[in-house]
Amino acid sequence: MKKGKIILIFILSILFSVVVVFSASAYFLLVHHYKGTQINNPWRVEDEFKLQNIATVQKQKDKDFVILNLADVQMCDLEDFFNRKIIYKEISYLIEQTKPNLITLTGDQTWSNENLISLKSLIGWLDSFKIPYAPVFGNHDYGNTKNSAVAELNYCCELYEKGKYCLFNRGPSNLGTLVNYVINIMEENKIYKTLYMLDAGYEDVITTQQIEWFKWNAEGIKQANGGEYTSAMCFMHKPLPEYSVAYNKYRSGSAEAEAINDVHVHYSLSGTMQNGFFDAAKERGVLDVVCGHQHGNNFTIKYNGVRLTFATKTGELGGFYDDGIVNLNGATSFVLNDDGVNINNIYVDRKQFFINNNNNSFNW
Ligand SMILES: [Fe+2]
């Protein structure tokens, strides 16, 4: 065979291989959808409440219990492939700074439809710290449109369920959203704090069924707690309408709203979630509500006895807000002790962080 022909066949073979690999990758990343198994476990209000079904984490007596909240991490398989180490360096830094006993994630751990590789990677990375973590879903975890993500929600659930340190629990199948669960922080044998982890779904709603299920849990825990509601926190993705009410009252100087922490509001605060949850929560021991979703906002405002926290966005993937004065990038921590809950924002100035902590020894 002539040398020219051999070279031509060789080039064509290479081209063919590239096309096959590219098509297969595109198929698995963009077209093929990983659907998990849907679990049918409906809840009814007359069901017996069992305290032992609730996940627990232990708090040491007389020691702080630190919750580090990561909001809107927003990883994506394609766009962020080469930038993933940025978010990981930042999360490592935030963990180093706060030494958390628990990490909560208030949704939008991924964004766009290409979420498979990044979610697997994030779960593996979180597991490497050997610290319990508890995610809720945000609108972007569902994909660009409802259930359009490559790894669809039930599959994401299965990935989280495989997470060694993940406290995630799928919850009942008939609440209107998929992932709702409860965690009790225990001090010795007593419930120290109850955490309600609520899925606001793609449409960003707290459904009537979710509210009823929340009440059922709170009443069941109350019975197990000697007839008193436990002190509680709620974690969800999108702010309740009361966030907007509280912020407007704070702006107008009303004594009804007290700023507990920094107040940065760059995005319009127009909660669309169903009203009614706030009152149900307030009456049942909830002292803190924590949400994410709007990267240009963070604050803690106490309103009607409840601290409403807009958590600081974590990392620069998916866009964060920098108006030249504030750099809304980092995380929010909650330090629980017998004095109550101390809320702090940890800001990460990328350049500052890079120069101060890493001695210019690596490239972002
Ligand atoms: Fe969101």
Side-chain angles (χ1 to χ4, degrees):
M1 201 184 291
K2 281 185 183 171
K3 198 179 170 189
K5 231 178 185 179
I6 293 171
I7 291 171
L8 184 67
I9 290 169
F10 179 72
I11 290 170
L12 286 174
S13 310
I14 296 281
L15 279 175
F16 179 73
S17 307
V18 167
V19 168
V20 168
V21 169
F22 181 80
S23 309
S25 308
Y27 174 74
F28 282 105
L29 280 177
L30 302 169
V31 181
H32 180 75
H33 283 228
Y34 291 77
K35 293 180 202 276
T37 309
Q38 195 162 349
I39 292 177
N40 187 32
N41 60 337
W43 164 83
R44 290 168 310 166
V45 73
E46 58 270 26
D47 286 350
E48 186 192 350
F49 174 82
K50 290 181 182 160
L51 189 66
Q52 64 268 30
N53 288 349
I54 291 178
T56 57
V57 278
Q58 206 66 33
K59 175 189 178 296
Q60 288 192 335
K61 197 165 172 54
D62 301 325
K63 288 206 169 167
D64 290 349
F65 186 95
V66 180
I67 299 174
L68 173 67
N69 188 77
L70 308 177
D72 299 77
V73 174
Q74 296 215 164
M75 291 169 59
C76 170
D77 294 357
L78 299 179
E79 287 91 332
D80 303 326
F81 185 77
F82 296 107
N83 296 324
R84 203 163 292 152
K85 63 182 179 182
I86 296 173
I87 190 76
Y88 289 165
K89 292 281 181 193
E90 183 171 328
I91 291 174
S92 297
Y93 171 78
L94 293 164
I95 289 173
E96 233 169 72
Q97 291 294 303
T98 57
K99 304 203 171 16
N101 303 94
L102 172 69
I103 298 168
T104 50
L105 298 107
T106 38
D108 287 3
Q109 280 73 257
T110 58
W111 69 285
S112 193
N113 286 338
E114 294 75 42
N115 61 345
L116 177 69
I117 296 167
S118 41
L119 184 57
K120 275 187 179 175
S121 167
L122 179 66
I123 289 169
W125 178 256
L126 289 171
D127 270 334
S128 72
F129 294 98
K130 301 183 177 170
I131 298 168
Y133 56 97
V136 295
F137 285 131
N139 54 309
H140 283 301
D141 293 297
Y142 286 74
N144 285 338
T145 55
K146 194 173 182 181
N147 298 329
S148 64
V150 169
E152 289 179 338
L153 221 57
N154 278 302
Y155 194 84
C156 293
C157 291
E158 288 171 11
L159 292 179
Y160 279 120
E161 280 158 1
K162 283 179 198 152
K164 201 170 170 197
Y165 291 86
C166 190
L167 298 175
F168 176 94
N169 187 324
R170 228 180 278 206
S173 54
N174 62 338
L175 301 185
T177 61
L178 193 57
V179 180
N180 298 280
Y181 60 108
V182 186
I183 299 166
N184 275 327
I185 299 173
M186 307 296 292
E187 190 182 74
E188 295 180 336
N189 291 328
K190 282 209 73 174
I191 301 168
Y192 189 84
K193 186 73 86 174
T194 301
L195 311 182
Y196 295 98
M197 313 301 293
L198 301 173
D199 178 0
Y202 179 74
E203 289 88 6
D204 297 317
V205 291
I206 298 292
T207 66
T208 307
Q209 303 98 293
Q210 268 178 300
I211 296 175
E212 292 310 309
W213 174 83
F214 158 78
K215 289 180 188 171
W216 176 83
N217 274 288
E219 299 301 332
I221 294 170
K222 178 184 170 183
Q223 268 205 350
N225 191 47
E228 289 205 9
Y229 289 119
T230 49
S231 166
M233 304 175 77
C234 288
F235 292 82
M236 61 185 71
H237 182 59
K238 200 177 180 189
L240 295 168
E242 283 74 12
Y243 274 67
S244 174
V245 178
Y247 176 65
N248 289 330
K249 284 192 184 285
Y250 159 77
R251 288 257 306 191
S252 67
S254 164
E256 286 179 73
E258 179 195 353
I260 303 289
N261 215 332
D262 315 334
V263 178
H264 298 125
V265 173
H266 294 288
Y267 292 169
S268 159
L269 258 170
S270 50
T272 55
M273 302 230 288
Q274 179 184 315
N275 215 333
F277 179 74
F278 181 84
D279 289 336
K282 176 183 70 150
E283 288 159 16
R284 289 170 179 79
V286 173
L287 297 177
D288 285 277
V289 178
V290 185
C291 77
H293 184 59
Q294 288 183 309
H295 308 178
N297 300 341
N298 76 344
F299 65 59
T300 299
I301 296 175
K302 190 173 180 181
Y303 170 65
N304 250 331
V306 181
R307 285 176 297 260
L308 301 172
T309 295
F310 235 124
T312 302
K313 175 185 164 38
T314 306
E316 67 173 37
L317 305 182
F320 68 98
Y321 200 93
D322 185 350
D323 66 0
I325 301 165
V326 285
N327 178 32
L328 293 178
N329 183 354
T332 308
S333 74
F334 301 83
V335 181
L336 280 53
N337 55 39
D338 292 346
D339 296 330
V341 178
N342 195 356
I343 304 169
N344 305 291
N345 289 310
I346 308 107
Y347 295 111
V348 174
D349 180 323
R350 193 176 152 200
K351 281 189 189 132
Q352 195 74 21
F353 170 42
F354 165 59
I355 292 163
N356 286 347
N357 294 285
N358 297 289
N359 205 20
N360 288 337
S361 60
F362 67 90
N363 291 318
W364 285 87

